[in-house]
Amino acid sequence: VLGSLFLALRWPLEQVLGAFLLSGGVYLAALLFLARARLGLALSVWWDPAIAREALRGAFPFFLSVFLMDLHFSAAVILTRLLHGEEVCGIFSVAGKLVSAFTVAMLFYRVSLFPALSRLHHESREEFRTLYQNSFKYVSLVFVPAAVFAGLGAGAIIHTVFGEQFAASIAVLQILSPTIFLIALRHLFVATLGSVHAQARLVRFQGFGVLLCLGTGLLLIPRWQAVGAAVAFG
């Protein structure tokens, strides 16, 4: 919302990017307020190395998981830019951004699903299994149609959102469209494996996937450009 407001005011890009800093500050302030209001926890400035090590040890696999998930598509953008320049990078990025837009709701669902799965893992394995199975059904009901819509309507979506000058991105979006459902499943598996303390195994799988995509991308992108990147990273 802040970024859109700054763009509407025609601020320079350097100032528009300040929306990320401001929103991050608002987010942190909201978390501190909720922690104090609901849990009675106040912000402490005392540094305890033992607590810091324990907190980082528990959080680091989750950090790696999020980093690798983001790197999956970011690596394709970097490779297309390095191997074919800005035009091909833009063609791929347009389709990639649309895929991200289709799956942003899954990010919020994963954040709300994770604590529920984690609690049920300790309290009731049967309810844990039921919630996971229902979540799989919900994800399929929403994101399978979304993937079909993106694939069949790629031309209309590209022309409406970005204009006819990005017609080359239509084929890329069509290839990437099944990825909308796959990304949703990945978020579901991230929440599930994290809730049963298997995040280290998840990081290994994600790392292998990124390396496989990088290798495939190096083979396909030089010849097939943005379409090759879509095949490799989709």
Side-chain angles (χ1 to χ4, degrees), residues 115-125 127-128 195-197:
L117 285 173
S118 183
R119 176 176 56 82
L120 291 177
H121 173 66
H122 295 284
E123 295 180 358
S124 173
R125 296 298 178 89
E127 291 185 30
F128 174 88
S195 69
V196 299
H197 307 296

Side-chain angles (χ1 to χ4, degrees), residues 22-193:
L22 290 174
S23 62
V26 171
Y27 185 45
L28 176 60
L31 290 176
L32 292 174
F33 173 79
L34 290 173
R36 187 178 183 87
R38 296 190 178 186
L39 304 176
L41 300 177
L43 177 65
S44 174
V45 297
W46 295 105
W47 174 259
D48 188 320
I51 294 178
R53 284 194 300 269
E54 185 63 28
L56 291 174
R57 186 181 300 113
F60 191 67
F62 291 100
F63 161 76
L64 281 180
S65 175
V66 174
F67 173 76
L68 290 171
M69 186 177 294
D70 184 66
L71 184 61
H72 187 90
F73 264 112
S74 299
V77 175
I78 295 171
L79 280 182
T80 52
R81 171 63 179 84
L82 292 176
L83 296 175
H84 283 289
E86 295 180 359
E87 182 178 351
V88 174
C89 177
I91 291 171
F92 177 83
S93 297
V94 160
K97 289 299 182 183
L98 287 171
V99 169
S100 298
F102 272 103
T103 56
V104 67
M106 187 61 202
L107 173 62
F108 293 99
Y109 183 62
R110 188 193 83 194
V111 171
S112 63
L113 180 66
F114 171 74
L117 285 173
S118 183
R119 176 176 56 82
L120 291 177
H121 173 66
H122 295 284
E123 295 180 358
S124 173
R125 296 298 178 89
E126 184 60 34
E127 291 185 30
F128 174 88
R129 188 179 300 109
T130 300
L131 178 58
Y132 169 76
Q133 291 173 344
N134 287 337
S135 296
F136 184 85
K137 294 176 183 177
Y138 301 151
V139 167
S140 300
L141 286 172
V142 173
F143 289 98
V144 169
V148 174
F149 173 75
L152 297 180
I157 295 171
I158 294 290
H159 288 153
T160 301
V161 179
F162 292 99
E164 295 183 0
Q165 64 270 31
F166 284 97
S169 299
I170 295 174
V172 180
L173 181 57
Q174 289 172 334
I175 295 172
L176 288 178
S177 59
T179 310
I180 293 172
F181 176 59
L182 297 179
I183 290 176
L185 286 182
R186 188 185 308 165
H187 279 291
L188 178 58
F189 294 148
V190 166
T192 304
L193 291 176

